[in-house]
Amino acid sequence: MKYVITFLTIIQTLYCHAQDWNLEQCLLYGLENNRQLLSKQYTADIQRIEHKSIQGKLLPEISANANLDYYWKVPVQTLPGELVGQSPGTFITVPTSTSHAGSYGVDVKLNLINAEVWTGIKLEALKEQARRHEYASMEKLLSRNVSISFYLVQQYTKERTTTRQRYHSQKQVHELIEKKFNEGLLDQISFNQSLSLLKNQEEIFLQTDYKVENSLAELKFWMGFPLDSLLTIQQNTEIPTPEIPMFESRRLPDYEAERLKIDIAEKDYKARLSAFYPKLELVGNYGQLGFGETNRYITQSSAWHTSSFVGVRLSIPFFSMSTIRQSQKGKIMIAQAKQDFLYYEDSQQRAYLQHSNNLQSTWETLRIQEEKLHLAEENERFSIQKIESGIIDMLQHKQIQQDLIDEQNRYNQAITNYLKHYVEVIYLQSR
C-alpha cells in the first residue's frame, strides 16, 4: 500500500508539473510548501507545548532521592549535661551521626493554592491563541505575495509575446529596407537606422524575457516550488476590475494578532500581581535513613529507619520592592500595547486609503494609456504600409517606433502598478 501511495503521489506531481497552473493551484501549493509558513507552524506547536507545560504545574511533582555519606570527622551537637544526670550548667557533646550514613526516599509536592500558576496558564493560553492568529496572518501575507507574483508572471509573459511579435515585424521591415538598399534605392544612413531600430526591438525582447524568468523565480520562491523545476501558468488577458470594499478594522489581516497583544499585556500584569497572593502547597516524603560505623550497614536491615511525613506549606508575601516595580512595569506595558494597537489601526487604514486611491487612479490611467497605445500601434501600421509602398522616411519611422516603445512602457507600467494596488486592497480587507 505504501508503494501505491508513493506512485500516485509521483503521478500527481508529474501531472501538476505538466499542466498550466492557475492562481488557485499556486495558492494551495504555497500554503502547503512555503518554508516560512512551515516554520511558523513549528512556532505555534512550540507555544502549544509551553501551554501544556505550565498546566503540568497543577499535577503532583514526584521525585526520588538517594545518597551515601562518609564522615571522616563525625559531626557533633552540644547538649545540656542535665540530660544524662550531670549538674546544671554543664554540657556534653553528642555525635549526630556515624562515620557512614545514607538515605533514600520519595518526595511529593502538590500546589493547592497558587495564583501565579493559574494566571500563568491563562497567559500561555492567550499566547497560544496569538500564535494561531499569527499563523493565519502569515497565510494571508503569503497569499498576497503569491497573487502579485502570479499576476506579474502573466503580465510579463504577455509583454514578451508582444515584444517578440514586434521584433519579428521589425525584422521583416528591415529585410525590406535591406533589399532596397542592395538595389541602390536607399543610402547607408537609412540602412543603419533601420538596423538600429531592429537591434532596439531585439534588446527589448531579451529584457522582457529576463523579466519573465525573474518573476517566475519569485513565484516559485513564495510557493515553495523547486526553483530548478518547470512551472507554466495559465494566461489570462483580462485585467481584474477594481473592487474597493468599505474599510473595516476587523478585516485587517493582522487584526486579531495585534488585538491579542493587549489581552496578553493585561494578563501578564495580573500574573505579576499574583506574586503578592498567598501560596499553599501539599508536601510529603517517605524515606529510609541508614547509619553504621562501616559501609556494611547498607545490607543490614536493622541499620535502616523509616522516616515519612505529610504536611502543608503556607507562604504569605508581605513586601518585595522588586515585585512592586514589576507590577508597575506591567501597567505601563498595558498602556503601551493599547497605543501600539491604535497606531496599527491608523497606519493600516492609511495604507488602505492610499492603495484604494491609487487603485482607482491607476485604473483610469490604464484606460487612457490603452487608448494612447492603440494610436501608437496604428501609426506604426501606417508607417510600415508606407515603407512597403516605397515611401520611406526613416526619421519619421524611427520617431514612430520610439513613440510606440514609450507608450508600451507606460502601458506596461500602468498595468503593473494597478495589479500591485489591486492585490494590496484585497489583502488589507481579506477575511
Side-chain angles (χ1 to χ4, degrees):
M1 186 63 184
K2 177 180 178 182
Y3 297 104
V4 173
I5 295 175
T6 304
F7 175 75
L8 292 176
T9 302
I10 295 174
I11 293 298
Q12 183 179 10
T13 303
L14 293 175
Y15 172 73
C16 290
H17 284 204
Q19 69 174 343
D20 291 342
W21 291 53
N22 58 29
L23 178 58
E24 183 179 359
Q25 290 172 319
C26 292
L27 289 173
L28 290 175
Y29 189 94
L31 292 175
E32 294 178 358
N33 296 277
N34 178 268
R35 299 187 185 281
Q36 191 176 15
L37 191 61
L38 293 174
S39 175
K40 202 68 175 179
Q41 179 61 57
Y42 288 125
T43 303
D45 293 340
I46 291 172
Q47 187 59 53
R48 184 166 58 254
I49 293 175
E50 289 288 342
H51 184 201
K52 292 182 178 180
S53 175
I54 195 170
Q55 283 179 327
K57 292 184 178 181
L58 296 176
L59 300 175
E61 295 182 7
I62 303 174
S63 60
N65 61 81
N67 61 77
L68 295 174
D69 300 314
Y70 168 69
Y71 298 94
W72 64 87
K73 290 286 187 180
V74 178
V76 296
Q77 184 175 3
T78 302
L79 298 175
E82 296 173 90
L83 295 176
V84 293
Q86 296 185 5
S87 59
T90 61
F91 298 91
I92 61 173
T93 56
V94 179
T96 60
S97 180
T98 58
S99 57
H100 291 79
S103 67
Y104 64 90
V106 177
D107 296 309
V108 179
K109 183 174 71 173
L110 175 63
N111 285 306
L112 297 178
I113 300 175
N114 193 324
E116 281 188 281
V117 173
W118 283 105
T119 54
I121 291 174
K122 295 177 181 178
L123 178 60
E124 291 301 322
L126 284 176
K127 289 181 179 180
E128 182 182 354
Q129 187 179 355
R131 295 297 175 270
R132 290 198 300 268
H133 285 298
E134 288 174 3
Y135 181 81
S137 298
M138 180 67 71
E139 286 184 324
K140 294 176 182 179
L141 180 62
L142 175 63
S143 298
R144 183 200 71 171
N145 294 336
V146 171
S147 297
I148 188 60
S149 299
F150 181 87
Y151 286 134
L152 289 180
V153 172
Q154 281 189 332
Q155 173 59 23
Y156 293 153
T157 302
K158 181 182 176 182
E159 289 182 28
R160 181 173 62 180
T161 301
T162 301
T163 55
R164 182 192 293 114
Q165 292 172 349
R166 289 188 177 146
Y167 170 69
H168 290 303
S169 177
Q170 187 62 39
K171 190 174 183 181
Q172 293 175 354
V173 172
H174 180 68
E175 290 173 353
L176 180 60
I177 297 293
E178 184 178 17
K179 179 180 178 182
K180 292 185 179 296
F181 171 72
N182 292 333
E183 293 174 352
L185 300 176
L186 291 176
D187 56 14
Q188 186 69 45
I189 295 176
S190 299
F191 175 81
N192 290 345
Q193 288 177 332
S194 176
L195 182 59
S196 177
L197 291 176
L198 178 62
K199 292 300 180 181
N200 286 342
Q201 287 293 345
E202 182 180 7
E203 182 182 6
I204 293 173
F205 169 63
L206 292 176
Q207 289 175 349
T208 309
D209 193 52
Y210 293 143
K211 287 170 65 176
V212 172
E213 295 303 320
N214 289 337
S215 61
L216 268 173
E218 186 79 3
L219 177 59
K220 291 177 184 178
F221 171 77
W222 290 118
M223 290 173 56
F225 194 88
L227 295 176
D228 55 352
S229 298
L230 177 65
L231 175 64
T232 57
I233 68 170
Q234 294 180 359
Q235 294 303 309
N236 185 7
T237 58
E238 295 183 4
I239 301 174
T241 56
E243 298 178 3
I244 305 179
M246 293 296 294
F247 179 81
E248 295 181 29
S249 296
R250 292 184 176 275
R251 295 174 64 181
L252 290 170
D254 300 320
Y255 179 84
E256 291 298 333
E258 293 295 328
R259 185 190 59 78
L260 272 173
K261 290 181 180 180
I262 299 177
D263 296 342
I264 290 174
E266 292 175 344
K267 190 61 65 176
D268 179 71
Y269 171 65
K270 292 181 179 180
R272 295 170 190 268
L273 288 179
S274 64
F276 292 104
Y277 299 157
K279 299 179 179 65
L280 183 67
E281 61 182 15
L282 176 69
V283 296
N285 170 270
Y286 176 85
Q288 295 283 331
L289 300 175
F291 303 94
E293 293 299 334
T294 66
N295 57 11
R296 293 180 181 177
Y297 79 95
I298 298 176
T299 59
Q300 298 173 356
S301 60
S302 60
W304 291 92
H305 309 277
T306 302
S307 173
S308 61
F309 75 90
V310 62
V312 293
R313 300 288 185 268
L314 175 66
S315 62
I316 304 175
F318 282 109
F319 177 79
S320 171
M321 181 55 69
S322 174
T323 304
I324 293 173
R325 297 305 184 194
Q326 287 296 320
S327 63
Q328 293 174 344
K329 176 183 175 182
K331 276 188 176 181
I332 298 174
M333 291 174 65
I334 292 175
Q336 182 184 34
K338 290 180 178 178
Q339 289 301 319
D340 288 343
F341 180 71
L342 292 175
Y343 174 80
Y344 162 77
E345 284 189 305
D346 292 343
S347 62
Q348 292 297 292
Q349 186 173 10
R350 180 191 63 178
Y352 170 79
L353 292 174
Q354 290 175 340
H355 285 297
S356 297
N357 293 332
N358 290 332
L359 178 63
Q360 192 63 43
S361 174
T362 52
W363 176 257
E364 295 171 357
T365 301
L366 185 59
R367 298 300 98 197
I368 295 173
Q369 284 300 138
E370 188 175 16
E371 294 177 3
K372 294 172 66 177
L373 179 60
H374 289 330
L375 292 174
E377 290 174 338
E378 188 176 28
N379 289 338
E380 182 197 34
R381 288 195 298 271
F382 290 150
S383 179
I384 293 175
Q385 290 175 4
K386 290 172 65 176
I387 292 175
E388 292 174 345
S389 302
I391 304 173
I392 300 176
D393 186 343
M394 290 306 301
L395 290 178
Q396 184 187 54
H397 183 68
K398 182 178 180 180
Q399 186 60 50
I400 290 174
Q401 285 291 321
Q402 187 59 51
D403 291 344
L404 177 60
I405 291 173
D406 292 341
E407 295 301 336
Q408 183 69 61
N409 289 337
R410 294 190 188 99
Y411 177 72
N412 293 339
Q413 188 60 50
I415 293 180
T416 301
N417 292 338
Y418 172 79
L419 291 174
K420 289 181 178 179
H421 294 307
Y422 173 81
V423 173
E424 285 291 345
V425 167
I426 294 177
Y427 166 69
L428 289 172
Q429 287 295 274
S430 58
R431 293 192 179 274

